[in-house]
Amino acid sequence: MEIDFWLERWNNNQTGFHQTQVNPYLSYFYGNKGPAAEQREKLKVFVPLSGKSKDMLWLSQNGYKVFAVECSDRAVKGFFEENALNYKYAEKDKHALYQSSDLASIIEIFQGDFFEMQQMDLDDITDIFDRASLVALPVEMRQQYANKMAELQKPGVRTLLVTLTFDPAEMNGPPFSVTEEEVHALYSENFSIQKLLFKDVIEDEAGLKNRGLTALVETVYKLVRK
Ligand SMILES: C[S@@+](CC[C@H](N)C(=O)[O-])C[C@H]1O[C@@H](n2cnc3c(N)ncnc32)[C@H](O)[C@@H]1O
């Protein structure tokens, strides 16, 4: 899934992956069950392959700083405009950096290729939220993605990773099925891995059911960079 594939999806409004509600696992693990409100201003959450996800808005409204990467300028502008956030734009090397200019929200989105990011870009990141990011990539890109993640993070950075598992014979991705075995193969060298929960979600995913899936499990992991 090269960048051109995604730019075309955004240009043709083929964005069925976009959710109008905040992700329930994010609000559970980073809401009341998560860090105390007074600690959150010290935490900066990286959202890779962010699209225009409402999760960024929720994180910001709940006291976290947000840094994201997304290749589509349409998605990035859409995020700020649809959420009525003022933003500034700056060129940074080959990339563009969009920053909210409202005092109440600290959201920066790096518009460019995730695979071109440098370690210093994620210098002050404490947490990562990966929903529809790893699973957006075909198998040959997932190892490259996991390696890049390891390269970018400092020890101790926590990731909340959401995967989907289904029979790949029933549907071509994206999203792609990622098994628990694959999560271990991708991450265990550089990360500790804790499986937090799994849930049968086929009845909640009418779009994927229409594409042929008869069973679908969502699994949530906590990874910590060693
Ligand atoms: C399946 S969508 C998920 C978006 C978001 N995580 C969400 O939950 O709505 C994947 C996103 O990754 C972006 N993307 C794909 N490859 C990328 C890359 N190499 N660098 C930056 N963004 C990328 C696409 O434009 C798309 O918005």
Side-chain angles (χ1 to χ4, degrees):
M1 249 73 276
E2 300 301 332
I3 281 184
D4 284 347
F5 166 88
W6 292 103
L7 297 182
E8 204 177 309
R9 293 281 294 256
W10 281 103
N11 289 338
N12 296 328
N13 291 322
Q14 291 172 325
T15 53
F17 51 80
H18 178 69
Q19 295 187 328
T20 51
Q21 305 291 326
V22 63
N23 183 270
Y25 307 121
L26 178 68
S27 56
Y28 181 74
F29 287 108
Y30 280 81
N32 288 344
K33 194 163 164 54
E38 63 276 13
Q39 287 174 10
R40 294 182 189 171
E41 62 179 0
K42 292 184 223 130
L43 303 179
K44 188 166 180 180
V45 183
F46 176 52
V47 183
L49 282 54
S50 66
K52 58 176 184 178
S53 135
K54 289 274 180 200
D55 302 330
M56 297 187 279
L57 187 67
W58 183 90
L59 283 163
S60 164
Q61 288 172 338
N62 283 275
Y64 300 94
K65 299 187 184 90
V66 178
F67 178 61
V69 62
E70 166 56 47
C71 60
S72 159
D73 65 334
R74 216 179 152 117
V76 178
K77 287 180 191 152
F79 170 75
F80 286 107
E81 287 163 11
E82 289 167 28
N83 294 304
L85 294 169
N86 294 315
Y87 63 92
K88 295 182 291 191
Y89 166 89
E91 301 267 335
K92 191 182 172 202
D93 305 324
K94 280 194 290 173
H95 304 278
L97 190 65
Y98 291 76
Q99 293 172 297
S100 57
S101 50
D102 295 313
L103 286 178
S105 62
I106 301 181
I107 304 176
E108 290 181 323
I109 307 182
F110 191 78
Q111 187 233 320
D113 186 352
F114 164 79
F115 293 100
E116 290 183 9
M117 295 188 85
Q118 306 294 317
Q119 206 181 20
M120 61 189 240
D121 297 323
L122 263 67
D123 215 24
D124 51 355
I125 292 300
T126 56
D127 294 79
I128 297 177
F129 180 57
D130 183 322
R131 180 260 159 194
S133 309
L134 174 69
V135 300
L137 302 173
V139 63
E140 63 276 11
M141 290 180 81
R142 294 199 286 269
Q143 186 67 60
Q144 201 193 340
Y145 176 86
N147 292 348
K148 187 72 189 178
M149 276 294 190
E151 176 196 318
L152 293 173
Q153 291 174 43
K154 289 186 170 163
V157 172
R158 299 166 290 250
T159 298
L160 194 67
L161 168 68
V162 183
T163 62
L164 296 172
T165 311
F166 55 88
D167 178 355
E170 291 186 342
M171 185 185 87
N172 291 325
F176 295 94
S177 177
V178 177
T179 61
E180 191 169 346
E181 291 69 33
E182 184 178 345
V183 168
H184 281 267
L186 291 172
Y187 292 105
S188 61
E189 188 182 340
N190 296 308
F191 297 84
S192 69
I193 303 170
Q194 185 186 357
K195 185 173 165 183
L196 299 176
L197 61 89
F198 62 98
K199 192 176 170 210
D200 182 346
V201 293
I202 189 66
E203 294 309 328
D204 306 332
E205 293 290 347
L208 299 181
K209 214 174 161 183
N210 286 340
R211 284 172 63 184
L213 290 194
T214 56
L216 177 66
V217 173
E218 213 163 41
T219 309
V220 183
Y221 302 89
K222 178 181 178 181
L223 312 179
V224 181
R225 179 74 170 99
K226 293 179 195 165

